[in-house]
Amino acid sequence: MSIRAIKAKKFKEAAEVLGTSTTTVIRSFKKVANKQLVEGVRLPKAIAIDEYKGDTDAGTYQLIIANAETREPIDILPNRKKETIKNYLSQYGADVEIVVMDMNPSFKAAVRQALGRPVIVADRFHFSRYIYWAMDEVRREVQKEWDKYNRTKCKRMRHVFYKRASKLSPIQQWYLQRYTEMSETLKVAHELKEAYCEWFDWAKTKNDIVEVKKRLLAFYRKVEETKLPAFLKAIQTLKNWQVEILNSFSFGYSNGFLEGINNKTKVMKRNAYGFRRFDHFRAKILLNLKYKEIGVHLG
């Protein structure tokens, strides 16, 4: 019954299959949760944190904490508030030396206040997207001045601006050339995006952090010469997080696996039509991940 209660989409569904009441299934589920899930554990040397939209009685967003080495989830906090994170890390994070996170100033402040000066690693996806957002902002502004056909077509073909130019198909290259020739501003924006990608791809293969930083600063100068507002804004964010960005190349940690866990969480939430109680949803997530190798056929 316990495994069925964990794996079922809803407690009511498990109860119908087992021929018992929903209350009995929930009682069994809680028994396993209380036995298997320890409240507050001593955190390891390297952790990764990320938020997800839970929509429970504890708040709209919750925070998941995982082992950055083993990629196993450790705990889920009821909300993403600075004080909540700081208090938890202060209590259980004596051994933590490295924290991987997205570029949330509140997270950074909480981590520093709780742990002193740990190594903070910015997730690569999260800092790279600022460049792509800048590229998209320029595209949207430029195409406003075009006729309806080209405006609509460029929007539909916007992916050609995001892909590496070297990976475009012949037809995609044709569209890229067509629209960059229609706007010098768009052409410059695309060249900046490509320059960033060149730096990023190169940096992932090198251990020389001094040279990585040197080339990043060269990219900043290239952006500053163009004076494109969207890209100037993007590199200001990169500058604010430069130490954490460079740490991502020095230490090699990523939050990508947490995105995978959050996707599974979204599926659980959708299948159950949401969870009102945070404690139930927390246990459901952690126990499903704990027993991910066990499959149960319901029905």
mmCIF file of all heavy atoms in Angstrom, residues 46-91:
data_model
loop_
_atom_site.group_PDB
_atom_site.id
_atom_site.type_symbol
_atom_site.label_atom_id
_atom_site.label_comp_id
_atom_site.label_asym_id
_atom_site.label_seq_id
_atom_site.Cartn_x
_atom_site.Cartn_y
_atom_site.Cartn_z
ATOM 1 N N ALA A 46 29.076 20.307 -1.287
ATOM 2 C CA ALA A 46 28.584 21.028 -2.467
ATOM 3 C C ALA A 46 27.086 20.799 -2.623
ATOM 4 O O ALA A 46 26.641 19.654 -2.710
ATOM 5 C CB ALA A 46 29.315 20.573 -3.724
ATOM 6 N N ILE A 47 26.330 21.895 -2.654
ATOM 7 C CA ILE A 47 24.883 21.775 -2.822
ATOM 8 C C ILE A 47 24.427 22.621 -4.014
ATOM 9 O O ILE A 47 25.121 23.545 -4.436
ATOM 10 C CB ILE A 47 24.102 22.212 -1.564
ATOM 11 C CG1 ILE A 47 24.358 23.700 -1.255
ATOM 12 C CG2 ILE A 47 24.443 21.335 -0.379
ATOM 13 C CD1 ILE A 47 23.455 24.265 -0.157
ATOM 14 N N ALA A 48 23.262 22.275 -4.542
ATOM 15 C CA ALA A 48 22.632 23.047 -5.615
ATOM 16 C C ALA A 48 21.237 23.415 -5.145
ATOM 17 O O ALA A 48 20.549 22.598 -4.521
ATOM 18 C CB ALA A 48 22.564 22.225 -6.900
ATOM 19 N N ILE A 49 20.820 24.647 -5.412
ATOM 20 C CA ILE A 49 19.487 25.079 -5.005
ATOM 21 C C ILE A 49 18.750 25.672 -6.202
ATOM 22 O O ILE A 49 19.351 26.267 -7.089
ATOM 23 C CB ILE A 49 19.538 26.108 -3.855
ATOM 24 C CG1 ILE A 49 20.245 27.405 -4.292
ATOM 25 C CG2 ILE A 49 20.221 25.520 -2.630
ATOM 26 C CD1 ILE A 49 20.242 28.502 -3.229
ATOM 27 N N ASP A 50 17.437 25.469 -6.210
ATOM 28 C CA ASP A 50 16.622 26.012 -7.297
ATOM 29 C C ASP A 50 15.171 26.094 -6.825
ATOM 30 O O ASP A 50 14.733 25.304 -5.977
ATOM 31 C CB ASP A 50 16.726 25.127 -8.540
ATOM 32 C CG ASP A 50 16.215 25.834 -9.797
ATOM 33 O OD1 ASP A 50 16.119 27.069 -9.780
ATOM 34 O OD2 ASP A 50 15.923 25.139 -10.792
ATOM 35 N N GLU A 51 14.437 27.024 -7.369
ATOM 36 C CA GLU A 51 13.036 27.184 -7.009
ATOM 37 C C GLU A 51 12.143 26.444 -7.995
ATOM 38 O O GLU A 51 12.541 26.149 -9.117
ATOM 39 C CB GLU A 51 12.667 28.663 -7.001
ATOM 40 C CG GLU A 51 12.787 29.301 -8.380
ATOM 41 C CD GLU A 51 12.574 30.802 -8.364
ATOM 42 O OE1 GLU A 51 12.870 31.456 -7.356
ATOM 43 O OE2 GLU A 51 12.125 31.322 -9.387
ATOM 44 N N TYR A 52 10.930 26.147 -7.561
ATOM 45 C CA TYR A 52 9.924 25.607 -8.472
ATOM 46 C C TYR A 52 8.563 26.107 -8.011
ATOM 47 O O TYR A 52 8.388 26.491 -6.848
ATOM 48 C CB TYR A 52 9.964 24.079 -8.528
ATOM 49 C CG TYR A 52 9.485 23.393 -7.261
ATOM 50 C CD1 TYR A 52 8.146 23.072 -7.083
ATOM 51 C CD2 TYR A 52 10.378 23.079 -6.237
ATOM 52 C CE1 TYR A 52 7.698 22.459 -5.924
ATOM 53 C CE2 TYR A 52 9.949 22.471 -5.076
ATOM 54 C CZ TYR A 52 8.614 22.159 -4.922
ATOM 55 O OH TYR A 52 8.176 21.565 -3.765
ATOM 56 N N LYS A 53 7.607 26.123 -8.901
ATOM 57 C CA LYS A 53 6.268 26.648 -8.610
ATOM 58 C C LYS A 53 5.389 25.520 -8.081
ATOM 59 O O LYS A 53 4.928 24.675 -8.834
ATOM 60 C CB LYS A 53 5.667 27.263 -9.879
ATOM 61 C CG LYS A 53 4.456 28.153 -9.639
ATOM 62 C CD LYS A 53 4.117 28.899 -10.933
ATOM 63 C CE LYS A 53 3.000 29.918 -10.716
ATOM 64 N NZ LYS A 53 1.688 29.273 -10.586
ATOM 65 N N GLY A 54 5.185 25.505 -6.761
ATOM 66 C CA GLY A 54 4.413 24.433 -6.144
ATOM 67 C C GLY A 54 2.965 24.789 -5.914
ATOM 68 O O GLY A 54 2.097 23.916 -5.920
ATOM 69 N N ASP A 55 2.673 26.078 -5.686
ATOM 70 C CA ASP A 55 1.299 26.533 -5.432
ATOM 71 C C ASP A 55 0.645 25.749 -4.294
ATOM 72 O O ASP A 55 -0.434 25.173 -4.460
ATOM 73 C CB ASP A 55 0.443 26.419 -6.702
ATOM 74 C CG ASP A 55 0.842 27.412 -7.772
ATOM 75 O OD1 ASP A 55 0.982 28.599 -7.439
ATOM 76 O OD2 ASP A 55 1.027 27.002 -8.933
ATOM 77 N N THR A 56 1.289 25.697 -3.144
ATOM 78 C CA THR A 56 0.738 24.989 -1.989
ATOM 79 C C THR A 56 0.309 25.985 -0.920
ATOM 80 O O THR A 56 0.442 27.201 -1.097
ATOM 81 C CB THR A 56 1.786 24.039 -1.387
ATOM 82 O OG1 THR A 56 2.839 24.822 -0.786
ATOM 83 C CG2 THR A 56 2.381 23.119 -2.449
ATOM 84 N N ASP A 57 -0.160 25.462 0.201
ATOM 85 C CA ASP A 57 -0.573 26.342 1.293
ATOM 86 C C ASP A 57 0.603 27.088 1.915
ATOM 87 O O ASP A 57 0.416 28.053 2.659
ATOM 88 C CB ASP A 57 -1.335 25.556 2.367
ATOM 89 C CG ASP A 57 -0.541 24.384 2.920
ATOM 90 O OD1 ASP A 57 0.610 24.167 2.468
ATOM 91 O OD2 ASP A 57 -1.059 23.673 3.796
ATOM 92 N N ALA A 58 1.837 26.655 1.605
ATOM 93 C CA ALA A 58 3.039 27.316 2.133
ATOM 94 C C ALA A 58 3.472 28.494 1.264
ATOM 95 O O ALA A 58 4.304 29.299 1.671
ATOM 96 C CB ALA A 58 4.184 26.320 2.251
ATOM 97 N N GLY A 59 2.921 28.586 0.070
ATOM 98 C CA GLY A 59 3.290 29.675 -0.830
ATOM 99 C C GLY A 59 3.304 29.233 -2.278
ATOM 100 O O GLY A 59 3.135 28.049 -2.586
ATOM 101 N N THR A 60 3.519 30.195 -3.162
ATOM 102 C CA THR A 60 3.527 29.888 -4.598
ATOM 103 C C THR A 60 4.778 29.125 -5.012
ATOM 104 O O THR A 60 4.709 28.174 -5.795
ATOM 105 C CB THR A 60 3.436 31.190 -5.418
ATOM 106 O OG1 THR A 60 2.256 31.901 -5.039
ATOM 107 C CG2 THR A 60 3.386 30.885 -6.914
ATOM 108 N N TYR A 61 5.929 29.542 -4.479
ATOM 109 C CA TYR A 61 7.196 28.922 -4.856
ATOM 110 C C TYR A 61 7.848 28.220 -3.675
ATOM 111 O O TYR A 61 7.811 28.709 -2.546
ATOM 112 C CB TYR A 61 8.164 29.978 -5.401
ATOM 113 C CG TYR A 61 7.772 30.514 -6.752
ATOM 114 C CD1 TYR A 61 6.986 31.662 -6.859
ATOM 115 C CD2 TYR A 61 8.183 29.874 -7.923
ATOM 116 C CE1 TYR A 61 6.615 32.158 -8.103
ATOM 117 C CE2 TYR A 61 7.816 30.365 -9.172
ATOM 118 C CZ TYR A 61 7.036 31.512 -9.249
ATOM 119 O OH TYR A 61 6.673 31.997 -10.480
ATOM 120 N N GLN A 62 8.451 27.073 -3.955
ATOM 121 C CA GLN A 62 9.238 26.349 -2.971
ATOM 122 C C GLN A 62 10.681 26.237 -3.468
ATOM 123 O O GLN A 62 10.966 26.534 -4.633
ATOM 124 C CB GLN A 62 8.659 24.949 -2.729
ATOM 125 C CG GLN A 62 7.458 24.916 -1.790
ATOM 126 C CD GLN A 62 6.173 25.446 -2.425
ATOM 127 O OE1 GLN A 62 5.733 24.944 -3.451
ATOM 128 N NE2 GLN A 62 5.583 26.474 -1.830
ATOM 129 N N LEU A 63 11.591 25.812 -2.596
ATOM 130 C CA LEU A 63 13.008 25.727 -2.943
ATOM 131 C C LEU A 63 13.516 24.315 -2.699
ATOM 132 O O LEU A 63 13.357 23.784 -1.594
ATOM 133 C CB LEU A 63 13.828 26.714 -2.112
ATOM 134 C CG LEU A 63 15.301 26.809 -2.546
ATOM 135 C CD1 LEU A 63 15.458 27.972 -3.532
ATOM 136 C CD2 LEU A 63 16.218 27.007 -1.356
ATOM 137 N N ILE A 64 14.107 23.728 -3.714
ATOM 138 C CA ILE A 64 14.669 22.385 -3.570
ATOM 139 C C ILE A 64 16.179 22.478 -3.389
ATOM 140 O O ILE A 64 16.846 23.307 -4.019
ATOM 141 C CB ILE A 64 14.308 21.495 -4.784
ATOM 142 C CG1 ILE A 64 14.766 20.050 -4.535
ATOM 143 C CG2 ILE A 64 14.892 22.036 -6.084
ATOM 144 C CD1 ILE A 64 14.138 19.047 -5.500
ATOM 145 N N ILE A 65 16.708 21.661 -2.503
ATOM 146 C CA ILE A 65 18.145 21.600 -2.222
ATOM 147 C C ILE A 65 18.625 20.192 -2.562
ATOM 148 O O ILE A 65 18.006 19.205 -2.162
ATOM 149 C CB ILE A 65 18.441 21.905 -0.748
ATOM 150 C CG1 ILE A 65 17.907 23.289 -0.366
ATOM 151 C CG2 ILE A 65 19.938 21.823 -0.463
ATOM 152 C CD1 ILE A 65 18.058 23.628 1.095
ATOM 153 N N ALA A 66 19.720 20.119 -3.319
ATOM 154 C CA ALA A 66 20.233 18.816 -3.744
ATOM 155 C C ALA A 66 21.745 18.745 -3.550
ATOM 156 O O ALA A 66 22.422 19.764 -3.405
ATOM 157 C CB ALA A 66 19.885 18.562 -5.209
ATOM 158 N N ASN A 67 22.250 17.523 -3.541
ATOM 159 C CA ASN A 67 23.689 17.288 -3.492
ATOM 160 C C ASN A 67 24.249 17.539 -4.887
ATOM 161 O O ASN A 67 23.875 16.854 -5.840
ATOM 162 C CB ASN A 67 23.954 15.850 -3.049
ATOM 163 C CG ASN A 67 25.421 15.579 -2.801
ATOM 164 O OD1 ASN A 67 26.283 16.000 -3.569
ATOM 165 N ND2 ASN A 67 25.711 14.843 -1.745
ATOM 166 N N ALA A 68 25.141 18.513 -5.024
ATOM 167 C CA ALA A 68 25.673 18.868 -6.348
ATOM 168 C C ALA A 68 26.588 17.795 -6.912
ATOM 169 O O ALA A 68 26.806 17.742 -8.124
ATOM 170 C CB ALA A 68 26.414 20.204 -6.272
ATOM 171 N N GLU A 69 27.119 16.927 -6.052
ATOM 172 C CA GLU A 69 28.004 15.852 -6.510
ATOM 173 C C GLU A 69 27.207 14.646 -6.984
ATOM 174 O O GLU A 69 27.385 14.152 -8.099
ATOM 175 C CB GLU A 69 28.952 15.435 -5.376
ATOM 176 C CG GLU A 69 29.936 16.508 -4.939
ATOM 177 C CD GLU A 69 31.134 16.607 -5.867
ATOM 178 O OE1 GLU A 69 31.205 15.841 -6.844
ATOM 179 O OE2 GLU A 69 32.000 17.466 -5.601
ATOM 180 N N THR A 70 26.324 14.139 -6.120
ATOM 181 C CA THR A 70 25.559 12.931 -6.444
ATOM 182 C C THR A 70 24.276 13.238 -7.208
ATOM 183 O O THR A 70 23.656 12.336 -7.756
ATOM 184 C CB THR A 70 25.181 12.184 -5.152
ATOM 185 O OG1 THR A 70 24.282 12.999 -4.370
ATOM 186 C CG2 THR A 70 26.429 11.880 -4.331
ATOM 187 N N ARG A 71 23.867 14.517 -7.186
ATOM 188 C CA ARG A 71 22.643 14.975 -7.854
ATOM 189 C C ARG A 71 21.374 14.386 -7.231
ATOM 190 O O ARG A 71 20.344 14.291 -7.879
ATOM 191 C CB ARG A 71 22.697 14.669 -9.359
ATOM 192 C CG ARG A 71 23.883 15.338 -10.042
ATOM 193 C CD ARG A 71 23.826 15.205 -11.540
ATOM 194 N NE ARG A 71 24.831 16.052 -12.174
ATOM 195 C CZ ARG A 71 24.929 16.252 -13.476
ATOM 196 N NH1 ARG A 71 24.075 15.654 -14.295
ATOM 197 N NH2 ARG A 71 25.861 17.045 -13.967
ATOM 198 N N GLU A 72 21.479 14.006 -5.969
ATOM 199 C CA GLU A 72 20.318 13.486 -5.247
ATOM 200 C C GLU A 72 19.647 14.616 -4.465
ATOM 201 O O GLU A 72 20.332 15.395 -3.801
ATOM 202 C CB GLU A 72 20.745 12.383 -4.282
ATOM 203 C CG GLU A 72 21.235 11.112 -4.949
ATOM 204 C CD GLU A 72 20.136 10.428 -5.751
ATOM 205 O OE1 GLU A 72 18.976 10.418 -5.287
ATOM 206 O OE2 GLU A 72 20.436 9.902 -6.838
ATOM 207 N N PRO A 73 18.317 14.732 -4.526
ATOM 208 C CA PRO A 73 17.624 15.763 -3.745
ATOM 209 C C PRO A 73 17.776 15.496 -2.255
ATOM 210 O O PRO A 73 17.776 14.341 -1.815
ATOM 211 C CB PRO A 73 16.169 15.625 -4.203
ATOM 212 C CG PRO A 73 16.059 14.230 -4.715
ATOM 213 C CD PRO A 73 17.389 13.893 -5.307
ATOM 214 N N ILE A 74 17.913 16.568 -1.481
ATOM 215 C CA ILE A 74 18.112 16.437 -0.044
ATOM 216 C C ILE A 74 16.885 16.899 0.721
ATOM 217 O O ILE A 74 16.386 16.198 1.599
ATOM 218 C CB ILE A 74 19.342 17.263 0.403
ATOM 219 C CG1 ILE A 74 20.607 16.731 -0.261
ATOM 220 C CG2 ILE A 74 19.478 17.232 1.927
ATOM 221 C CD1 ILE A 74 21.829 17.613 -0.048
ATOM 222 N N ASP A 75 16.394 18.082 0.395
ATOM 223 C CA ASP A 75 15.259 18.625 1.136
ATOM 224 C C ASP A 75 14.540 19.665 0.289
ATOM 225 O O ASP A 75 15.073 20.129 -0.732
ATOM 226 C CB ASP A 75 15.725 19.259 2.451
ATOM 227 C CG ASP A 75 14.651 19.236 3.532
ATOM 228 O OD1 ASP A 75 13.468 18.987 3.199
ATOM 229 O OD2 ASP A 75 14.986 19.483 4.704
ATOM 230 N N ILE A 76 13.340 20.024 0.716
ATOM 231 C CA ILE A 76 12.554 21.059 0.050
ATOM 232 C C ILE A 76 12.081 22.042 1.109
ATOM 233 O O ILE A 76 11.499 21.642 2.123
ATOM 234 C CB ILE A 76 11.340 20.459 -0.694
ATOM 235 C CG1 ILE A 76 11.822 19.520 -1.811
ATOM 236 C CG2 ILE A 76 10.463 21.562 -1.281
ATOM 237 C CD1 ILE A 76 10.707 18.771 -2.505
ATOM 238 N N LEU A 77 12.331 23.325 0.878
ATOM 239 C CA LEU A 77 11.910 24.363 1.811
ATOM 240 C C LEU A 77 10.536 24.892 1.399
ATOM 241 O O LEU A 77 10.213 24.926 0.209
ATOM 242 C CB LEU A 77 12.928 25.504 1.828
ATOM 243 C CG LEU A 77 14.383 25.122 2.132
ATOM 244 C CD1 LEU A 77 15.222 26.381 2.373
ATOM 245 C CD2 LEU A 77 14.481 24.203 3.329
ATOM 246 N N PRO A 78 9.725 25.311 2.360
ATOM 247 C CA PRO A 78 8.343 25.724 2.058
ATOM 248 C C PRO A 78 8.218 26.958 1.184
ATOM 249 O O PRO A 78 7.185 27.184 0.558
ATOM 250 C CB PRO A 78 7.746 25.978 3.450
ATOM 251 C CG PRO A 78 8.925 26.246 4.329
ATOM 252 C CD PRO A 78 10.014 25.367 3.793
ATOM 253 N N ASN A 79 9.273 27.795 1.151
ATOM 254 C CA ASN A 79 9.234 28.978 0.305
ATOM 255 C C ASN A 79 10.659 29.372 -0.081
ATOM 256 O O ASN A 79 11.622 28.750 0.374
ATOM 257 C CB ASN A 79 8.515 30.145 1.012
ATOM 258 C CG ASN A 79 9.165 30.494 2.343
ATOM 259 O OD1 ASN A 79 10.309 30.933 2.404
ATOM 260 N ND2 ASN A 79 8.427 30.282 3.427
ATOM 261 N N ARG A 80 10.785 30.396 -0.910
ATOM 262 C CA ARG A 80 12.096 30.822 -1.391
ATOM 263 C C ARG A 80 12.553 32.118 -0.729
ATOM 264 O O ARG A 80 13.439 32.812 -1.226
ATOM 265 C CB ARG A 80 12.052 31.018 -2.906
ATOM 266 C CG ARG A 80 11.045 32.072 -3.347
ATOM 267 C CD ARG A 80 11.025 32.276 -4.830
ATOM 268 N NE ARG A 80 10.044 33.282 -5.213
ATOM 269 C CZ ARG A 80 9.817 33.688 -6.454
ATOM 270 N NH1 ARG A 80 10.525 33.171 -7.438
ATOM 271 N NH2 ARG A 80 8.904 34.602 -6.723
ATOM 272 N N LYS A 81 11.943 32.468 0.397
ATOM 273 C CA LYS A 81 12.268 33.707 1.078
ATOM 274 C C LYS A 81 13.695 33.680 1.618
ATOM 275 O O LYS A 81 14.201 32.640 2.035
ATOM 276 C CB LYS A 81 11.287 33.969 2.216
ATOM 277 C CG LYS A 81 9.864 34.240 1.748
ATOM 278 C CD LYS A 81 8.935 34.448 2.930
ATOM 279 C CE LYS A 81 7.495 34.688 2.460
ATOM 280 N NZ LYS A 81 6.567 34.829 3.611
ATOM 281 N N LYS A 82 14.309 34.836 1.617
ATOM 282 C CA LYS A 82 15.694 34.971 2.064
ATOM 283 C C LYS A 82 15.888 34.439 3.485
ATOM 284 O O LYS A 82 16.842 33.684 3.751
ATOM 285 C CB LYS A 82 16.106 36.447 1.985
ATOM 286 C CG LYS A 82 17.494 36.747 2.504
ATOM 287 C CD LYS A 82 17.766 38.238 2.432
ATOM 288 C CE LYS A 82 19.037 38.627 3.146
ATOM 289 N NZ LYS A 82 19.257 40.089 3.121
ATOM 290 N N GLU A 83 15.001 34.805 4.401
ATOM 291 C CA GLU A 83 15.136 34.386 5.793
ATOM 292 C C GLU A 83 14.998 32.878 5.945
ATOM 293 O O GLU A 83 15.696 32.257 6.755
ATOM 294 C CB GLU A 83 14.090 35.100 6.663
ATOM 295 C CG GLU A 83 14.385 36.565 6.900
ATOM 296 C CD GLU A 83 15.742 36.786 7.571
ATOM 297 O OE1 GLU A 83 16.029 36.103 8.566
ATOM 298 O OE2 GLU A 83 16.503 37.647 7.096
ATOM 299 N N THR A 84 14.097 32.276 5.177
ATOM 300 C CA THR A 84 13.898 30.828 5.240
ATOM 301 C C THR A 84 15.167 30.099 4.814
ATOM 302 O O THR A 84 15.612 29.152 5.475
ATOM 303 C CB THR A 84 12.724 30.410 4.330
ATOM 304 O OG1 THR A 84 11.542 31.082 4.726
ATOM 305 C CG2 THR A 84 12.493 28.902 4.400
ATOM 306 N N ILE A 85 15.739 30.543 3.694
ATOM 307 C CA ILE A 85 16.968 29.914 3.181
ATOM 308 C C ILE A 85 18.119 30.137 4.157
ATOM 309 O O ILE A 85 18.871 29.203 4.480
ATOM 310 C CB ILE A 85 17.326 30.493 1.801
ATOM 311 C CG1 ILE A 85 16.195 30.244 0.802
ATOM 312 C CG2 ILE A 85 18.630 29.886 1.290
ATOM 313 C CD1 ILE A 85 16.358 30.979 -0.513
ATOM 314 N N LYS A 86 18.257 31.353 4.645
ATOM 315 C CA LYS A 86 19.355 31.685 5.557
ATOM 316 C C LYS A 86 19.269 30.858 6.840
ATOM 317 O O LYS A 86 20.280 30.300 7.299
ATOM 318 C CB LYS A 86 19.313 33.178 5.893
ATOM 319 C CG LYS A 86 20.477 33.632 6.762
ATOM 320 C CD LYS A 86 20.438 35.127 7.029
ATOM 321 C CE LYS A 86 19.358 35.486 8.015
ATOM 322 N NZ LYS A 86 19.411 36.906 8.434
ATOM 323 N N ASN A 87 18.090 30.757 7.420
ATOM 324 C CA ASN A 87 17.928 30.006 8.666
ATOM 325 C C ASN A 87 18.234 28.530 8.477
ATOM 326 O O ASN A 87 18.857 27.892 9.336
ATOM 327 C CB ASN A 87 16.503 30.189 9.215
ATOM 328 C CG ASN A 87 16.250 31.607 9.691
ATOM 329 O OD1 ASN A 87 17.183 32.350 9.989
ATOM 330 N ND2 ASN A 87 14.985 31.996 9.755
ATOM 331 N N TYR A 88 17.795 27.972 7.342
ATOM 332 C CA TYR A 88 18.034 26.551 7.076
ATOM 333 C C TYR A 88 19.530 26.285 6.910
ATOM 334 O O TYR A 88 20.080 25.342 7.492
ATOM 335 C CB TYR A 88 17.276 26.116 5.825
ATOM 336 C CG TYR A 88 17.330 24.622 5.572
ATOM 337 C CD1 TYR A 88 16.366 23.775 6.107
ATOM 338 C CD2 TYR A 88 18.348 24.056 4.810
ATOM 339 C CE1 TYR A 88 16.408 22.405 5.887
ATOM 340 C CE2 TYR A 88 18.404 22.691 4.594
ATOM 341 C CZ TYR A 88 17.433 21.869 5.127
ATOM 342 O OH TYR A 88 17.493 20.516 4.918
ATOM 343 N N LEU A 89 20.194 27.107 6.102
ATOM 344 C CA LEU A 89 21.624 26.920 5.860
ATOM 345 C C LEU A 89 22.440 27.163 7.127
ATOM 346 O O LEU A 89 23.451 26.492 7.368
ATOM 347 C CB LEU A 89 22.097 27.840 4.738
ATOM 348 C CG LEU A 89 21.524 27.569 3.344
ATOM 349 C CD1 LEU A 89 22.066 28.581 2.343
ATOM 350 C CD2 LEU A 89 21.857 26.150 2.885
ATOM 351 N N SER A 90 22.012 28.107 7.938
ATOM 352 C CA SER A 90 22.708 28.379 9.203
ATOM 353 C C SER A 90 22.639 27.176 10.129
ATOM 354 O O SER A 90 23.595 26.869 10.850
ATOM 355 C CB SER A 90 22.094 29.599 9.900
ATOM 356 O OG SER A 90 22.259 30.768 9.126
ATOM 357 N N GLN A 91 21.518 26.481 10.069
ATOM 358 C CA GLN A 91 21.295 25.346 10.959
ATOM 359 C C GLN A 91 21.954 24.064 10.468
ATOM 360 O O GLN A 91 22.501 23.295 11.266
ATOM 361 C CB GLN A 91 19.791 25.125 11.136
ATOM 362 C CG GLN A 91 19.442 24.120 12.225
ATOM 363 C CD GLN A 91 17.944 24.083 12.499
ATOM 364 O OE1 GLN A 91 17.169 24.813 11.876
ATOM 365 N NE2 GLN A 91 17.540 23.252 13.444
#
